[in-house]
Structure formats: C-alpha cells, structure tokens
C-alpha cells in the first residue's frame, strides 16, 4: 500500500495537479471553516478570498473536502458554492475519514483530516484559522482535539493564528511539546490567541521570515524527524479584538455551552456561532482577517520551500 493505491480515492483538480507535477508552490486549505465555522454567505465569500490571497502570494490553492466519498484536492466554484449551504455534511477528523469515503458521504475536513489529505496529495503547507486544542475542563471531559496528534505524526506545516482562546492554551502548548511538535511564532514572542494577538504565553521559537521557516522545515526533514510543524501567525493589530475584551465574551460562550449540554464535535462550532452573535459580528470579521493573513504567509512559505536550496 502506498500513494499508488491511495491515489484512487483522490480527485486532484487540474490546476493543482499541474502545479504539483511542475514543482510549483501549492497551499492546502480546509473546509470545516466553510461548513461549521462561519455563517452563509460569508463562508463562501471568505473561502474564495482566501484562495485569491494564496494566488496573489505566489501559490496555487487547494481547498480540501470529501464529496460523495471522493477526496477532493481543490474544489470547483460549483462545489464550493454547494458546500456553503449543504446540509448533513460531516465534520471529518482522522477517525471519521475512512467511514466518509467508504460510505460515499459528504464531509468537511478539519485541520487533522486536511493534513492527512494534503499529505496524500503531496502538499506540505496548509493554512487555517486556528487549530483545535486542549479544551477547558479537560480533566473532566478528556476533550483534546485530534488536530494535536495529527501535528505530531503527519509532515505538513500548518499556519494558524494560534489556538482559539476558548481552549486551555497553556495545556495546548504543553501537549504539543510532549508530542514533539515544533511551534514557531512568526514575528512574535507570544503564542497568539486567535482573535487576540496576546495570550501571555511565550512561544517556544521565534522566526521572522518565510525563508527561516523553510530552513527549519528542511532541517527537520533532513534529521528524519517525522511529523508536522505549527506556525503561529498573530492576527494583524488593526483586526484584533484585544484579549481583555474577548475574555467576557468567551466566558459567557463557554457557560452557555455547558448549560445547553453541548459536547464533542459540536463544541467548537457552537462557541464560534455564539461568539459571532454576542460580539455583533466582530469575531467573524477578525476570523476572516486572520485566515487571509495566514493564507498569505502560507503561500510565501510554500514558494520559499520551492526556491531555496535543500538543507544539509
Ligand atoms: N479555524 C477557524 N474556524 C474553524 C476551525 C478552525 O477559523 O471552524 C475548525 C478547524 O477545522 C479545526 C476545528 O480543526 O475547528 C477544531 O475542532 P475540534 O475542536 O472539534 O477538534
Ligand atoms: Mn473535541
């Protein structure tokens, strides 16, 4: 078994196929943001804008989703539009992917599943908004996003704006360290908290250019260190909601989720939509801005990985 047999499950869009064949930069994008992370029509508009940002920064975008059991690497305009309002789309992590494919279901890929599919297609750089992490109250729920273990095992560089401040950020960083995931702050000494630039938590490593990150990735590969790397890129300051302001909204959202008994996969989508309502749409504007910012960095990193000479 290998890529040859896996290939029969993948539909690689022609533009992505030719970029990969010609050794040009490609950036993977996830689809859970579209189906479970944002309301319509901002979800579809954002997905298109993010793809344009990737192109403007020198790479080919590949939005990933499962449609009727086919793993799509790059979506058509029609598929993207359809996904924006489709109902009954599964939220796919590592555990759900084989069922969705075998049963010919529709599914949006989370960070974990997007990393898996990107790697199957030969794509090494992926931009998202924020990764899943260790949830607050983990001592009772054991709710730790599968995104973290995926970062430990699958060799894809993930660009995010940190982890959502609805999570337990100190424990999220501890877990990443335990699992051996390099965490890089891009032009920051602090691990960003998604809507806010500051978390008060130091980032393990700071790098200030795509070329420096590319060099770290090549060195990691040359050392045969498996697994991914996480690049934390703070939201631009004009777009952020400062942490002290976000705190009250987050506390209310978490209390409301507990009151309504929201658990499992439903937790993150519930909190995001509750925050959208309670901040009067501000949290969504920030979310859109940070994803675009991450897409730009991801494209520049992918381009840098193609240009520079290999390490070692
Ligand atoms: N980033 C966003 N919005 C999102 C997500 C990330 O800006 O909706 C999604 C990602 O797909 C991530 C998921 O993998 O939230 C985490 O879900 P959970 O906490 O259930 O693992
Ligand atoms: Mn979870």
């Amino acid at each position: 078994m290998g890529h040859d047999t896996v290939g029969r499950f993948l539909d690689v869009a022609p533009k992505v196929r030719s970029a990969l064949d010609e050794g040009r930069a490609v950036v993977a994008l996830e689809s859970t943001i579209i189906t479970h992370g944002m309301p319509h029509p901002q979800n579809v508009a954002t997905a298109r804008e993010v793809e344009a940002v990737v192109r403007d920064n020198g790479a080919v975008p590949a939005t990933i989703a499962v449609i009727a059991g086919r793993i799509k690497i790059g979506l058509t305009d029609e598929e993207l539009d359809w996904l924006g309002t489709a109902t009954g789309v599964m939220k796919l992590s590592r555990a759900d992917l084989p069922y969705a494919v075998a049963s010919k279901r529709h599914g949006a890929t989370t960070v974990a599943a997007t990393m898996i599919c990107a790697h199957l297609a030969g794509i090494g750089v992926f931009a998202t908004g924020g990764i899943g992490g260790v949830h607050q109250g983990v001592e009772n729920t054991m709710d730790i996003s599968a995104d973290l273990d995926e970062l430990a095992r699958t060799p894809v560089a993930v660009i995010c704006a940190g982890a959502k401040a609805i999570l337990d950020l100190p424990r999220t960083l501890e877990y990443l360290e335990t699992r051996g995931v390099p965490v890089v702050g891009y032009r920051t000494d602090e691990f960003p908290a998604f809507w806010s630039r500051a978390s008060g938590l130091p980032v393990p490593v700071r790098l200030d250019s795509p070329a420096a990150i590319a060099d770290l990735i090549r060195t990691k590969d040359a050392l045969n260190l498996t697994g991914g790397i996480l690049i934390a890129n703070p939201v631009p300051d004009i777009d952020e909601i400062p942490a002290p302001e976000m705190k009250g909204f987050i506390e209310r959202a978490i209390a409301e989720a507990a009151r309504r008994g929201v658990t499992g996969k439903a937790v993150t989508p519930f909190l995001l939509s509750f925050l959208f309502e309670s901040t009067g749409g501000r949290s969504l504007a920030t979310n859109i801005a940070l994803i675009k910012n991450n897409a730009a960095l991801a494209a520049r990193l992918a381009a840098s990985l193609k240009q520079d000479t290999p390490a070692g």
Side-chain angles (χ1 to χ4, degrees):
M1 297 284 281
H3 285 208
D4 298 357
T5 48
V6 158
R8 70 193 169 96
F9 297 106
L10 304 185
D11 289 337
V12 182
K15 280 178 188 164
V16 178
R17 178 79 278 152
S18 55
L20 289 169
D21 289 347
E22 293 161 20
R24 287 183 283 123
V26 177
V27 170
L29 299 165
E30 63 151 304
S31 47
T32 295
I33 294 181
I34 301 169
T35 56
H36 294 72
M38 287 186 188
H40 186 79
Q42 292 96 329
N43 58 353
V44 174
T46 302
R48 288 201 203 296
E49 284 168 30
V50 168
E51 290 192 347
V53 169
V54 169
R55 282 188 209 101
D56 291 347
N57 285 275
V60 172
T63 303
I64 293 176
V66 175
I67 300 180
R70 301 293 302 168
I71 298 175
K72 302 283 178 185
I73 309 292
L75 299 180
T76 63
D77 284 349
E78 293 72 29
E79 287 166 338
L80 194 61
D81 272 331
W82 172 82
L83 206 57
T85 53
T87 51
V89 178
M90 295 176 72
K91 176 178 164 184
L92 304 178
S93 193
R94 170 175 278 267
D96 319 292
L97 191 57
Y99 168 77
V101 171
S103 308
K104 305 200 167 18
R105 294 280 307 263
H106 308 308
T109 50
T110 59
V111 168
T114 306
M115 288 180 75
I116 294 169
C117 298
H119 181 53
L120 291 176
I123 302 169
V125 178
F126 160 32
T128 183
I131 57 160
V134 179
H135 280 264
Q136 295 181 26
V138 64
E139 56 276 31
N140 298 314
T141 62
M142 266 214 14
D143 191 349
I144 301 174
S145 175
D147 292 352
L148 301 184
D149 268 31
E150 206 58 51
L151 280 159
R153 70 202 293 178
T154 301
V156 171
V158 178
I159 291 81
C160 68
K164 296 177 202 77
I166 53 179
L167 299 165
D168 185 329
L169 296 183
R171 285 189 169 103
T172 298
L173 282 172
E174 286 292 348
Y175 193 83
L176 287 165
E177 184 186 73
T178 299
R179 300 291 281 117
V181 178
V183 177
V184 174
Y186 181 67
R187 297 190 178 168
T188 181
D189 297 307
E190 239 181 282
F191 189 66
F194 198 70
W195 302 280
S196 317
R197 292 174 61 86
S199 67
L201 300 165
V203 85
V205 168
R206 173 187 173 136
L207 294 173
D208 292 336
S209 69
I213 302 170
D215 191 47
L216 175 69
I217 292 169
R218 275 196 235 91
T219 306
K220 184 179 87 53
D221 292 348
L223 290 168
N224 290 329
L225 295 168
T226 53
I229 147 173
L230 186 65
I231 296 121
N233 185 31
V235 63
D237 44 15
I238 50 159
D239 300 305
E240 83 159 337
I241 306 176
E245 227 179 300
M246 223 30 227
K247 194 167 178 282
F249 290 120
I250 289 168
E251 281 166 5
R252 253 172 288 144
I254 291 173
E256 190 59 21
R259 203 182 63 79
R260 296 198 204 178
V262 181
T263 56
K265 280 176 185 293
V267 172
T268 300
F270 174 83
L271 293 175
L272 288 173
S273 82
F274 190 87
L275 285 167
F276 168 65
E277 301 292 339
S278 61
T279 62
R282 260 181 92 197
S283 67
L284 178 61
T286 300
N287 199 341
I288 292 168
L290 66 84
I291 295 174
K292 289 190 198 170
N293 188 48
N294 295 340
L297 178 57
R300 292 172 60 210
L301 173 61
S304 186
L305 279 163
K306 295 297 178 191
Q307 277 160 18
D308 304 341
T309 50

